[in-house]
Amino acid sequence: MKLYIIGILAKILGIIIPLLLGVAFLVSAECKVMAFTQRRKGFNVVGLFGLLQPLADGLKLMIKEPIPSSSANSFISIMALVITFMLSLVAWAVIPFDYGMVLSDSNVGIPHLFATSSLGVYGIIMVGRVSNLKHVSSGVLRFAAQMVLYEVSIGPIIITVLIRVGSRNFSEIVMAQKQIWFGIPLFPVSIMFFIFRPAETNRAPSDPPEAEAESVAGYNVEYFLMGFAPPSSGEYANMILMSSLCTLLFLGGWLPILDLPIFQGISGSIRFSIKVPFLLFIYIWVCAAFSRYRYDQLMRLGWKVFSPPPLAWVVFVSGIPVAFDWPP
């Protein structure tokens, strides 16, 4: 029993530690990519090519003196941080990095992700509930409405994949793509899923809840020093999660691009680790290349433009097996 518990703890640490390191260096990569798009150098002082800058920033946050907010309930504020950060880690329990390389190879992988992403809104709502600042309350309301909208839109996209596979297990979804990646037959919804990723993770150009111009960072305005680290880290962890989800659903997960010996010699986890950073690079490039939407534009785009096509695609994909007697 003790060995079983130790094994589970080792698997959990094997996920959390690389994830936290990935979050730290994703911040550095974002700054470097945005600097290159603007013909700047970005981080280049601390460590080789500025690679140790995230560690220096974390140390700076830890050694500075914290100043608690006088207008907020400190306990609820801390609990909101814990809820937000923990839920960003719990979602990784069902994400496979290779065949059999997963903490919980459950048949409820998709519902698990839906549940954790939905519960994440409550942590942000707690922040707005205990704060007396109008900018925080405005940012929280924007965040909640935006999450509801784009989760409603992402749901039908994932349902199209489930209809094709007939399983909610991520490993089975990946293995169903041996012949062809779902990004090809389901190309329209895969592009919509890619577009929804910034809105789901509250990243530019879909980040009105944190807009500096009118909301002065929104729900983050009261968090500073180490209090700012959990929500910020959770946001970057969700970026990695959404890129991993896109890889599993539409890019074949750990499967190779072509059935060639050169690709077969690479382990599945390495192939998975190549696809996810590629999607993260496009993520960051979009943030640097496009300006922020106004909040009314973002909501109108979600409800009137992006919501109907996924629903129509669900009807289309579910109607093909019925019309041609073709089991999904």
Side-chain angles (χ1 to χ4, degrees), residues 156-157 160-161 182 186-194 250 309-310 313:
I157 294 177
T160 59
V161 178
F182 288 158
L186 302 178
F187 181 75
V189 290
S190 65
I191 293 298
M192 283 187 284
F193 186 88
F194 186 83
F250 300 107
W313 196 260

Side-chain angles (χ1 to χ4, degrees), residues 44-309:
N44 64 345
V45 176
V46 183
L48 183 64
F49 302 114
L51 291 177
L52 299 181
Q53 184 66 46
L55 302 180
D57 290 341
L59 180 62
K60 179 187 69 174
L61 292 177
M62 287 189 292
I63 63 177
K64 282 192 172 183
E65 178 185 3
I67 303 175
S69 174
S70 60
S71 62
N73 187 309
S74 300
F75 175 76
I76 299 181
S77 297
I78 295 174
M79 288 303 299
L81 294 179
V82 172
I83 291 174
T84 304
F85 184 64
M86 289 300 296
L87 287 173
S88 67
L89 299 180
V90 169
W92 286 90
V94 295
I95 299 296
F97 307 97
D98 198 349
Y99 188 78
M101 189 181 293
V102 57
L103 180 62
S104 176
D105 194 18
S106 173
N107 195 38
V108 291
I110 297 292
H112 175 84
L113 280 184
F114 276 129
T116 53
S117 63
S118 300
L119 291 174
V121 180
Y122 290 99
I124 305 301
I125 291 177
M126 289 171 63
V127 177
R129 178 65 181 85
V130 301
S131 176
N132 293 322
L133 298 179
K134 60 181 180 180
H135 297 101
V136 177
S137 301
S138 173
V140 167
L141 292 175
R142 289 184 175 191
F143 181 88
Q146 182 173 318
M147 289 302 101
V148 170
L149 166 59
Y150 284 93
E151 284 184 6
V152 167
S153 301
I154 284 179
I157 294 177
I158 298 179
I159 289 174
T160 59
V161 178
L162 301 186
I163 292 173
R164 180 63 186 90
V165 179
S167 173
R168 296 166 295 181
N169 186 290
F170 279 113
S171 297
E172 295 182 10
I173 290 174
V174 173
M175 298 309 295
Q177 302 179 59
K178 278 188 174 181
Q179 298 298 325
I180 185 173
W181 291 357
F182 288 158
I184 297 176
L186 302 178
F187 181 75
V189 290
S190 65
I191 293 298
M192 283 187 284
F193 186 88
F194 186 83
I195 294 173
F196 290 162
R197 290 188 311 155
E200 180 68 17
T201 54
N202 196 29
R203 299 293 299 172
S206 305
D207 60 339
E210 298 181 9
E212 295 86 358
E214 66 267 20
S215 294
V216 291
Y219 58 88
N220 286 327
V221 70
E222 286 192 332
Y223 291 119
F224 48 89
L225 302 184
M226 284 309 294
F228 180 72
S232 178
S233 300
E235 193 170 282
Y236 283 95
N238 287 331
M239 289 175 60
I240 303 176
L241 178 65
M242 291 300 293
S243 298
S244 301
L245 185 59
C246 186
T247 301
L248 294 172
L249 294 178
F250 300 107
L251 299 182
W254 58 81
L255 298 178
I257 299 176
L258 298 172
D259 192 14
L260 297 176
I262 186 174
F263 295 114
Q264 296 295 337
I266 303 175
S267 67
S269 58
I270 294 178
R271 290 193 291 263
F272 184 83
S273 302
I274 292 174
K275 296 176 184 178
V276 172
F278 173 73
L279 293 177
L280 286 172
F281 169 77
I282 301 178
Y283 219 127
I284 298 171
W285 175 77
V286 170
C287 294
F290 295 94
S291 59
R292 178 185 295 119
Y293 287 109
R294 284 202 327 260
Y295 186 67
D296 62 306
Q297 293 175 335
L298 182 66
M299 299 301 287
R300 186 183 305 113
L301 188 68
W303 283 118
K304 295 185 178 180
V305 178
F306 286 141
S307 291

